[in-house]
Structure formats: C-alpha cells, structure tokens
Amino acid sequence: MHFTSEQRLDDGVLERDFTLGDIPGILWTPPSAPVSASAPASAPVPLILLGHPGGLDRMRPRLAARARHSAAEGFASATVELPGSGDRPRLPAVEQARADMRRALEAGEPVSDDIVDRLVLPLVDKAVPEWQAALDALLSLPGIDGPVGFSGGVISIGVRLAVVEPRITAAALFAGSYVPRAMFEEARRVTVPLHVLLQWDDEGNDRQAALDLFDAFGSKEKTLNANMGGHTGVPQYAGEAAARFFTRHLTS
C-alpha cells in the first residue's frame, strides 16, 4: 500500500488516497487514530469497508460523507475502486453484458438471468480477492484493528465477502442491484449479523428479488430497513440506524 495524498478535513478526519498495486483507494481515520508507529499510544479503531457501484471519483462525496459519519462514532473507513471502473482497465465481457442490459431495459424487456450472471459474477470473482488484499494492508497500519464491518453495495460482493472473509463480523448491505441466482445459495451461508437497507421505490431494483435474498440469508440476526423513495432518497434516520448497528457489533 502506497499513500499518494492526504488532507485533514475540517472535522479532524484524516483522508488519505492510496494505491494497492494498480488499485486506487481512500482511507479515512478519526482524529483519535494514530497514523504512525511513533504516534502517542491510543486504542486502535475498528474498520468499515465501504462498498459502492464503481467510479470512485464520482462516488467520492457520498463515500466521504459516510466515512465522516462513521469517524464520529470512532471508526476508520476505507474503499477501493471496483474492477473495470474509474481509470482501471475495462472488463470487455462485463461491458458487453452492461450494453445488453441497457438494450433490454430500453426495449421494455426483462433483464435475463444470463445477462445478470455475465454482468455481476465476473465482477464478484475479481473484486472480492482485491477487497481481501486491501483488508490485509489496512489492518497492518498503525491505529487500525478489528473488528471489521462491510457497508454498502454491490450487494453480491458483500454477500461473497461475508461468506469467505472471517475478519468481517457484521455487514450493512444496500439492496438495489441485480443479483444472480447463484448468489442466493451463497446467501444461505452468511451467518454474520446483517442490516439490509431497501429503498421501496428504487427504479433500478427488483424489489421482490431483494426480499427473496433477505429471506435466504442464513444469519440469526438480520434486519430489513425498508423506506419509501428512490435510489438516492435514503432518509437520514435510515443511515443513523445503520450506524447504531455497527456501534453494537464493532465496539465492545
């Protein structure tokens, strides 16, 4: 991990851009977190991985707002760019699936299982090991320790991470993206506490599929927070509920 820039925000949060190999990312740490081994001793802080649909520059303001809210609760937050997004090399098969999806939607046709599989599964297969590599690097930094949470989407990436990454102890997942049928079987293997956010009128979301996925999760503790409104209309109190979820599960 190589840090390329840093700035102290007006609330004291330290925002640092980094690269992990050729993968760009951003780390936010609260004022209480030491940033070097020589810094005054203080308790390490838990970490939340911030998922997003890709395009880190475009998503940065929303991710920063989430990270600053989490920093106020004493958590570090980090994110990495998705494969095929931003300045990263394109994934031709995924690009073709995305074009096929747009054609289906413009024609008023359903998006087929084949398109969803070609769009999502390659992304999950490539992104999850990258998230795990980022987690290795982040947890080696001074001032950051477990437990670790995952927050956001793409929901299929969150599902896979919750299954294969034992360091993730809780997840707040955003329903609102297409889910391959194969992910429902993986969802049955998820056991960490879950908080799932669903916007009821999300124009790009298959509401019934989101409800079916929630039903499939194997976690003993799982909460569905459903609110009226579209994809970007998440009410403030829904975000506050997710923050309370992580406070319960990432602090002793």
Side-chain angles (χ1 to χ4, degrees), residues 213-243:
L213 182 66
F214 179 80
D215 189 53
F217 284 124
S219 303
K220 291 183 179 179
E221 180 188 335
K222 56 181 182 180
T223 299
L224 179 66
N225 189 322
N227 297 278
M228 305 302 291
H231 187 74
T232 59
V234 179
Q236 181 177 342
Y237 55 78
E240 292 169 352

Side-chain angles (χ1 to χ4, degrees), residues 98-111 115 178 203-204:
R98 187 172 288 115
D100 293 343
M101 177 190 69
R102 289 179 180 140
R103 278 194 290 269
L105 293 173
E106 289 169 359
E109 300 171 352
V111 178
I115 293 175
Y178 290 102
E203 56 281 359

Side-chain angles (χ1 to χ4, degrees), residues 20-227:
L20 186 69
D22 61 352
I23 306 169
I26 311 170
L27 170 64
W28 296 268
T29 49
S32 61
V35 297
S36 69
S38 61
S42 61
V45 298
L47 173 66
I48 298 177
L49 303 177
L50 298 181
H52 60 91
L56 200 51
D57 287 343
R58 173 178 57 86
M59 291 295 301
R60 189 183 191 113
R62 291 168 61 186
L63 291 167
R66 289 163 58 190
R68 294 173 79 165
H69 193 278
S70 295
E73 302 297 321
F75 305 139
S77 299
T79 192
V80 292
E81 182 64 278
L82 287 185
S85 294
D87 294 330
R88 299 191 64 187
R90 301 298 97 177
L91 301 176
V94 173
E95 292 291 307
Q96 181 60 56
R98 187 172 288 115
D100 293 343
M101 177 190 69
R102 289 179 180 140
R103 278 194 290 269
L105 293 173
E106 289 169 359
E109 300 171 352
V111 178
S112 69
D113 289 345
D114 173 67
I115 293 175
V116 173
D117 287 352
R118 290 188 287 115
L119 177 67
V120 178
L121 291 178
L123 185 61
V124 174
D125 290 342
K126 189 169 179 60
V128 167
E130 293 180 351
W131 273 110
Q132 291 181 292
L135 186 54
D136 291 340
L138 290 161
L139 290 180
S140 72
L141 296 173
I144 298 178
D145 200 355
V148 179
F150 182 86
S151 173
V154 174
I155 194 169
S156 292
I157 293 175
V159 170
R160 175 73 59 80
L161 271 171
V163 171
V164 304
E165 180 46 72
R167 292 172 292 185
I168 291 178
T169 59
L173 303 178
F174 296 180
S177 51
Y178 290 102
V179 181
R181 292 189 181 274
M183 297 306 303
F184 285 76
E185 186 57 40
E186 293 195 36
R188 295 183 178 91
R189 297 163 50 200
V190 173
T191 59
V192 299
L194 290 178
H195 183 96
V196 180
L197 177 64
L198 170 65
Q199 286 299 103
W200 202 251
D201 305 304
D202 189 340
E203 56 281 359
N205 182 47
D206 184 335
R207 183 194 303 161
Q208 190 57 54
L211 295 173
D212 291 343
L213 182 66
F214 179 80
D215 189 53
F217 284 124
S219 303
K220 291 183 179 179
E221 180 188 335
K222 56 181 182 180
T223 299
L224 179 66
N225 189 322
N227 297 278

